[in-house]
Amino acid sequence: MSELPTNSVTLRFLASPTDVGHSGSVDAGTVLEWVDKAAYAAAVGWAKSYCVTAYVGNIHFADPVNSGDMVEVEATIVYTGRSSMHIRTIVSSGDPKGGPATMRSQCLVIFVAVGPDGRPVPVPQFEPSTPEEIGQRDNALTRIAVREQIVEAMNAQEYTDAGTSERVVLRFMAAPTDVNWGGKVHGGIVMKWIDEAAYVCASRYCGKDTVAVFSGGVRFYRPLLIGDVVEVEARLVYTGHKGMHIAVHVRSGNPKSREMNLTTYCLTVMVARDETGTSVPIPQWVPETDEDRRLHAHARELLEIRGGAPGNRMPDHLLNGGPGAAVQAAK
């Protein structure tokens, strides 16, 4: 009788000085790269086949990881579909000399098992056996409908040059060092690019250092190939008292062609920090064009959808209402 695969993988390592980014601590993009690797290990170990990242959502960044920290990334399968695996990831870190580790971030990652032809293949079904596992499975199930609402709302939006908000575009080629185990660009690398573009956009807007506190709706539409031209566009769509909501699109294409295809899209919330690392107020962005107002309303709709998810709560400005509610702090 064959042994059942384990549903959990934990990676442990020291955060190195080369992991430190523009914020002075480990950037959110690097943390997401770690998350993707741990979730991939859990998915492959369970499915016994190659797996691809399909979705990353509900990413909360609580506290930064610092250089020299002992880092622990735990990835646990909490629900399986026919070919998909829903993986809860928790990143913790602390002093390697001892003491308790502190939770730094958590999120849900969905991987899909694929065969040699790139088509989805069935995976063993995970059956929860403890109250904790059942609770995590039920939480994943309740979030399926929320995720579908978020994806539908994000897919319905059109971004054109009619917008007037802060906008940046980073362009480069996907390098061989970006490769994953299947020969494509690693999903964690793509999320790192997203964080970098969101940082530039948010920092240019407010004139201060910024860090990510939340990212959601990271959906991978198609693989990104080594050697592709990559375009990462970040645009401000909403501001609160401290939070800047940045919509990020990743497009790619063959350098011999002018065609660029959407590969990934998400929305990231950035906050500004002062010299002590404390979040500070930022200027309010006032929509000017019809597109500005539409995207502003779109970001507000996403806040409402996420606020209604199990375990979440509506932001205070949505609960309180009032004439200025649409432009008050989201964070």
Side-chain angles (χ1 to χ4, degrees):
M1 185 175 180
S2 60
E3 182 180 351
L4 292 176
T6 178
N7 71 314
S8 185
V9 168
T10 300
L11 306 183
R12 294 183 180 89
F13 50 89
L14 285 173
S16 71
T18 56
D19 293 324
V20 174
H22 46 73
S23 63
S25 57
V26 177
D27 291 336
T30 298
V31 173
L32 289 173
E33 189 178 353
W34 296 341
V35 163
D36 194 61
K37 288 179 179 179
Y40 174 83
V44 170
W46 183 266
K48 306 304 181 187
S49 69
Y50 176 60
C51 300
V52 295
T53 314
Y55 187 90
V56 185
N58 207 36
I59 310 163
H60 292 271
F61 299 99
D63 289 302
V65 177
N66 296 308
S67 174
D69 277 3
M70 174 61 73
V71 181
E72 182 175 283
V73 187
E74 181 182 11
T76 305
I77 294 173
V78 297
Y79 172 71
T80 52
R82 179 183 178 276
S83 59
S84 64
M85 292 150 286
H86 296 226
I87 304 168
R88 178 173 179 254
T89 66
I90 299 175
V91 179
S92 305
S93 74
D95 191 329
K97 295 189 291 291
T102 301
M103 192 277 289
R104 306 299 186 182
S105 68
Q106 59 180 328
C107 69
L108 181 73
V109 185
I110 300 177
F111 269 84
V112 173
V114 297
D117 59 356
R119 296 180 179 276
V121 296
V123 300
Q125 294 301 289
F126 172 66
E127 297 293 341
S129 59
T130 68
E132 182 181 7
E133 290 178 343
I134 293 172
Q136 291 177 354
R137 187 273 314 273
D138 292 346
N139 183 266
L141 285 171
T142 57
R143 287 191 172 274
I144 291 176
V146 175
R147 182 169 60 255
E148 289 175 348
Q149 290 182 61
I150 290 172
V151 170
E152 182 180 0
M154 294 175 79
N155 287 343
Q157 299 308 309
E158 181 182 4
Y159 291 74
T160 72
D161 292 334
T164 65
S165 65
E166 189 71 47
R167 176 186 177 192
V168 300
V169 180
L170 308 182
R171 293 186 180 91
F172 47 88
M173 292 187 70
T177 51
D178 300 326
V179 71
N180 66 9
W181 296 273
K184 311 294 193 307
V185 172
H186 199 292
I189 293 291
V190 177
M191 290 189 284
K192 190 170 184 177
W193 295 339
I194 287 171
D195 180 62
E196 291 171 347
Y199 166 79
V200 175
C201 182
S203 296
R204 282 186 177 178
Y205 172 74
C206 68
K208 300 178 182 295
D209 286 330
T210 60
V211 294
V213 294
F214 176 84
S215 191
V218 187
R219 187 179 181 189
F220 293 83
Y221 293 92
R222 53 174 56 84
L224 201 157
L225 306 179
I226 300 302
D228 275 0
V229 172
V230 182
E231 180 179 279
V232 188
E233 178 185 348
R235 182 185 300 195
L236 179 74
V237 294
Y238 188 94
T239 57
H241 181 56
K242 296 180 181 178
M244 292 162 280
H245 295 229
I246 311 294
V248 185
H249 293 77
V250 182
R251 304 178 182 90
S252 65
N254 190 304
K256 296 187 288 291
S257 168
R258 294 183 180 274
E259 183 180 2
M260 299 289 284
N261 296 309
L262 180 66
T263 61
T264 311
Y265 170 46
C266 77
L267 192 138
T268 296
V269 180
M270 310 289 290
V271 298
R273 304 196 309 180
D274 61 17
E275 295 78 8
T276 67
T278 304
S279 59
V280 295
I282 48 94
Q284 174 189 311
W285 173 61
V286 179
E288 297 180 10
T289 67
D290 288 342
E291 176 158 325
D292 288 344
R293 288 184 282 272
R294 175 173 51 78
L295 295 177
H296 185 276
H298 166 57
R300 181 180 169 89
E301 178 189 12
L302 293 180
L303 281 172
E304 293 173 339
I305 294 173
R306 291 190 173 101
N312 290 358
R313 65 181 295 275
M314 290 287 187
D316 290 341
H317 69 286
L318 295 183
L319 291 171
N320 298 335
V327 293
Q328 293 303 306
K331 283 286 177 180

